[in-house]
Amino acid sequence: MTVNSGSPGWYLRRLSRMGPREVAGRVGDAVRRRRWRSARPDCPSVTGARFTAVLPAGTIAAVSPDAAKRLIAEADRLMCGHAEYFGVVRDDLADPDWWCDPKTGRRAPWGYAFNVPYRNEDAVGDIKQIWELSRHQYLTVLAAAYAITGDERYAERVAAHLRSWWAANPPLRGVHWISGIELGIRLLSWVWIRRLLDGWPGVAGLFEGNPVALNQIWHHQRWLAAFPSRGSSANNHVIAEAAGQFAAACAFGWFPSSARWRAGALRSLERQLRRNTFDSGLNRELATEYHGLVLELGLAAVAEADAARVPVPASIRLVLLRMTDALAAVVDSRLRPPRQGDADDGHGLVVDGTGTDRWASLLATGDAVFGRLAWWPEVTGTDVRTPLLAALIRPYANIAAAPVVTRPPSRPGHFADAGLTVLRGPGEIWCRCDGGPHGFLSIAAHAHADALSVEVRHDGVDVLADPGTFCYHGQPEWRQYFRSTLGHNTLQVDGGDQSVSGGPFLWTRHARSRVLTADTSDTSDGGTARWCAEHDGYQRSVHRRRVELATAKQELTVVDEVRGPRRDVRLAFHLGPAIAADLAGNRAVLTWARDGEGRSAVLDLPGQLSWRAHRGETDPPLGWYSAGFGRKEPATTLVGTGFADGTALLGEFTTVLRFHG
């Protein structure tokens, strides 16, 4: 079923997922928006403003030549007007149209921000395409290129684009004043642009000496203080809002309200970081890219606090430490984390060129700030961001008030609160098993209907793959497919999803999972790692799955059991885009290449089911892989159809994946 957001039915379903306090808060927001339409105050006058949150001497010299080379190459592409966002190549960045969607060619309408129908692609275009450029993270790249080279061309381009954006987007007018996450990330970008341009003679006239800039900075912070994400929407968005507000109130603390904004943002950041993070350190949205986004935002906020000598609660650093250890624990041999839940390529702070590994960068920063543990994977790549953040953030060991924390003595494989388990074997076999909650908060906005799904890699190559996300708005049939049960490596019953969708970012019924067994003990001696879990998403039936990784045989066994009356079932295994499959009956021979060497495996599928290979189908969608937001490519999906009858011993299906060599 396709459900459109913004329809009357959607609003009713959305309202049903809110509590009384959230409803009251949103009513207050609506009243405030109506009042703000006609009452737009002016920014208070500012005199004698100075920017003091500069990088310590010698910071730029600590950037490795390799990372600097990648950054400058990216900056030069941007100077020539070239960039790619979400699979769309742009050649207009020399003089961009801030309101135009390059994918559809549509321009967002002008008007009071809260009246713009941003969810309607027919009226606005692809809102993600429009918003992304105005996060101004490409300008932080240009500013970093100036800091490294001293070439004023980069600084002049940044200044021209900021002046253009400020002129085209006055406060509360147009699409760039609708969403708090956009305002928060944009403020963070402006802080770093000012910092990285500090040596340029024109920088004070661009920021603290510029009434237009001051007006924009003030109105951004006033907006964020008035309209925080609430209740069922208080996910990664509220972290971005608080981090951006806090960073600006620290670095641009020139206004009468700055101290109040700073204190309020810090309280929100501390509270929401704890709420958004399991005690194990994994992000509660169970969408890995948002784990990365929240960690980036948290580190950037602490950098501003330390630069401004603003004390932060010890719990903030502790959450970020646990998040970093959790990331180090779940990545595979190539430092790739799980592909779980939604992913939209969102970043908190961008100062690196193309080719820089995001996850290696975060682990490198974690090493500099918290110190690496003996079991952490080795990070060999370089980046620009780590030395910049490390120059501002005080090392955890040097914080007198930092709580003593017991960090994992060995690499964790099971995160009980998040229901995430990683089984590891020889030949760099990596298997993620999903037995966790269906997302975060009552709407679980970024969850997928993927209970009990598995994700298997060999030496970093997706073998049994999580297909990804592809899109959010405008293409409901693709949005539904990529987050459906059939779109994951798990079992579908009676053609439906385990959890019930009420819209693109709304689930009205959540499957409940529980892990029964999780034995991830050391298997280097040829032992067997085991996992077992079940969920109740299919009414009248329970789906239970057992997974065993026999390390001596390099063999993964998956046993699916359906307990309950006779049901139609479909069992799907999505292969990564590098995998070629030769299916004969219920056996598939898988082949791929890694570093120029041929690799292979055999997938023995349950014989009770009828198996077909699907690839690149569109009506309906099946057999696709999305490497990043806005991008998709055909990949092979093996689907077995049949029936299960838990009352007649016909409800158990065994799949065996054997790796060769």
Side-chain angles (χ1 to χ4, degrees):
M1 179 181 67
T2 298
V3 182
N4 294 321
S5 61
S7 67
W10 178 85
Y11 279 110
L12 287 173
R13 287 186 291 273
R14 185 66 182 82
L15 184 64
S16 73
R17 308 304 294 175
M18 302 180 193
R21 184 173 180 179
E22 180 180 355
V23 171
R26 289 179 181 270
V27 170
D29 289 346
V31 172
R32 192 174 299 110
R33 288 179 182 130
R34 182 178 292 274
R35 187 171 67 245
W36 278 27
R37 178 170 185 159
S38 57
R40 189 176 61 181
D42 294 326
C43 167
S45 61
V46 173
T47 58
R50 294 176 58 246
F51 183 83
T52 59
V54 297
L55 289 170
T59 298
I60 298 300
V63 175
S64 75
D66 180 59
K69 182 179 178 180
R70 289 195 305 274
L71 166 67
I72 294 166
E74 177 69 12
D76 288 343
R77 282 192 291 273
L78 292 169
M79 290 292 288
C80 291
H82 307 312
E84 180 180 332
Y85 295 112
F86 312 136
V88 176
V89 175
R90 301 187 62 159
D91 297 310
D92 62 339
L93 261 66
D95 184 20
D97 182 341
W98 304 108
W99 292 40
C100 182
D101 165 27
K103 189 176 80 174
T104 65
R106 298 187 182 99
R107 281 191 98 247
W110 173 259
Y112 183 54
F114 298 118
N115 289 346
V116 176
Y118 70 96
R119 293 189 180 96
N120 185 345
E121 186 167 307
D122 292 335
V124 175
D126 186 332
I127 194 63
K128 283 282 291 178
Q129 288 285 348
I130 296 173
W131 278 345
E132 186 67 19
L133 195 64
S134 289
R135 290 185 171 188
H136 290 170
Q137 293 176 326
Y138 78 100
L139 295 181
T140 56
V141 170
L142 293 176
Y146 165 77
I148 287 173
T149 65
D151 188 334
E152 295 193 358
R153 293 181 307 119
Y154 300 121
E156 290 163 356
R157 176 63 60 82
V158 171
H161 280 206
L162 284 178
R163 293 183 191 277
S164 168
W165 194 93
W166 291 332
N169 296 278
L172 298 178
R173 293 298 181 267
V175 294
H176 298 303
W177 290 88
I178 295 172
S179 174
I181 188 175
E182 305 304 317
L183 276 75
I185 290 177
R186 192 155 54 238
L187 277 178
L188 185 59
S189 295
W190 291 353
V191 168
W192 275 90
I193 289 168
R194 175 59 184 87
R195 174 175 290 127
L196 292 164
L197 294 185
D198 191 62
W200 181 52
V203 70
L206 178 64
F207 278 95
E208 56 265 33
N210 181 1
V212 175
L214 294 172
N215 188 53
Q216 286 276 352
I217 294 167
W218 184 81
H219 273 285
H220 271 66
Q221 293 187 81
R222 176 177 179 259
W223 193 110
L224 289 170
F227 301 113
S229 292
R230 301 179 182 277
S232 56
S233 294
N235 54 9
N236 64 87
H237 283 232
V238 77
I239 303 292
E241 294 160 8
Q245 174 85 304
F246 180 71
C250 286
F252 302 147
W254 307 321
F255 308 102
S257 298
S258 291
R260 174 170 57 83
W261 287 337
R262 184 168 56 243
L266 186 59
R267 285 194 301 271
S268 176
L269 186 66
E270 191 274 336
R271 181 172 62 254
Q272 298 301 340
L273 273 175
R274 284 190 291 105
R275 288 181 176 177
N276 275 258
T277 311
F278 287 111
D279 288 343
S280 65
L282 290 177
N283 182 263
R284 285 185 181 271
E285 292 197 75
L286 294 174
T288 310
E289 282 209 5
Y290 289 112
H291 182 106
L293 173 65
V294 169
L295 182 52
E296 289 169 353
L297 291 166
L299 289 168
V302 171
E304 296 307 326
D306 287 355
R309 295 181 173 83
V310 174
V312 299
S315 61
I316 289 180
R317 296 182 200 267
L318 182 57
V319 168
L320 299 177
L321 166 61
R322 287 175 172 160
M323 290 183 73
T324 308
D325 279 343
L327 176 62
V330 300
V331 295
D332 66 17
S333 60
R334 303 282 176 142
L335 301 186
R336 293 180 61 220
R339 285 166 53 89
Q340 183 178 17
D342 273 348
D344 71 349
D345 297 357
H347 292 258
L349 174 64
V350 181
V351 288
D352 275 285
T354 301
T356 301
D357 188 300
R358 175 187 197 173
W359 309 105
S361 171
L362 277 170
L363 291 177
T365 304
D367 185 4
V369 174
F370 303 117
R372 72 186 309 276
L373 296 172
W375 54 261
W376 274 29
E378 202 65 40
V379 175
T380 57
T382 60
D383 69 311
V384 174
R385 188 175 60 191
T386 288
L388 302 187
L389 288 174
L392 298 176
I393 301 175
R394 289 186 292 163
Y396 191 80
N398 295 348
I399 305 296
V404 177
V405 56
T406 301
R407 299 171 69 183
S410 58
R411 191 174 202 170
H414 176 58
F415 296 81
D417 48 9
L420 186 149
T421 306
V422 177
L423 310 180
R424 298 177 187 270
E428 304 298 348
I429 299 172
W430 177 98
C431 173
R432 173 183 65 87
C433 304
D434 180 6
H438 179 73
F440 179 48
L441 302 174
S442 62
I443 63 172
H446 292 297
H448 290 185
D450 57 355
L452 310 196
S453 63
V454 295
E455 184 184 3
V456 180
R457 300 176 191 158
H458 188 277
D459 196 16
V461 174
D462 290 315
V463 178
L464 302 182
D466 183 301
T469 299
F470 178 55
C471 67
Y472 281 170
H473 299 283
Q475 298 170 284
E477 70 282 4
W478 289 103
R479 174 64 170 154
Q480 180 163 336
Y481 167 68
F482 274 99
R483 65 180 195 149
S484 70
T485 296
L486 186 61
H488 294 83
N489 298 317
T490 188
L491 187 79
Q492 183 194 56
V493 171
D494 287 348
D497 288 337
Q498 311 148 335
S499 296
V500 177
S501 171
F505 299 98
L506 172 63
W507 296 91
T508 56
R509 184 171 62 79
H510 303 179
R512 294 175 299 177
S513 303
R514 62 172 184 151
V515 176
L516 305 174
T517 303
D519 181 2
T520 63
S521 54
D522 184 9
T523 56
S524 58
D525 61 352
T528 299
R530 294 178 174 85
W531 174 86
C532 179
E534 64 184 22
H535 75 83
D536 66 355
Y538 300 123
Q539 296 180 7
R540 299 182 298 121
S541 295
V542 172
H543 174 206
R544 176 176 290 184
R545 169 169 277 185
R546 304 193 305 275
V547 178
E548 293 188 355
L549 176 59
T551 58
K553 296 188 287 186
Q554 295 194 57
E555 181 177 287
L556 186 80
T557 301
V558 179
V559 179
D560 290 292
E561 181 182 354
V562 180
R563 296 185 173 187
R566 180 183 173 113
R567 312 289 291 268
D568 292 327
V569 298
R570 285 197 289 182
L571 180 60
F573 290 106
H574 299 262
L575 308 182
I579 307 299
D582 182 8
L583 176 65
N586 67 317
R587 168 169 285 196
V589 177
L590 314 181
T591 55
W592 67 97
R594 181 54 152 167
D595 298 331
E597 296 183 5
R599 309 283 179 89
S600 66
V602 171
L603 186 61
D604 283 320
L605 301 158
Q608 311 100 300
L609 302 178
S610 227
W611 289 91
R612 282 188 56 199
H614 304 263
R615 185 177 179 87
E617 298 173 9
T618 58
D619 188 20
L622 187 59
W624 296 91
Y625 179 93
S626 174
F629 197 83
R631 292 174 285 153
K632 68 180 188 298
E633 60 185 299
T636 300
T637 297
L638 306 175
V639 178
T641 59
F643 68 90
D645 189 343
T647 65
L649 301 179
L650 294 173
E652 189 169 289
F653 309 98
T654 300
T655 304
V656 181
L657 175 63
R658 298 181 181 88
F659 292 96
H660 297 157

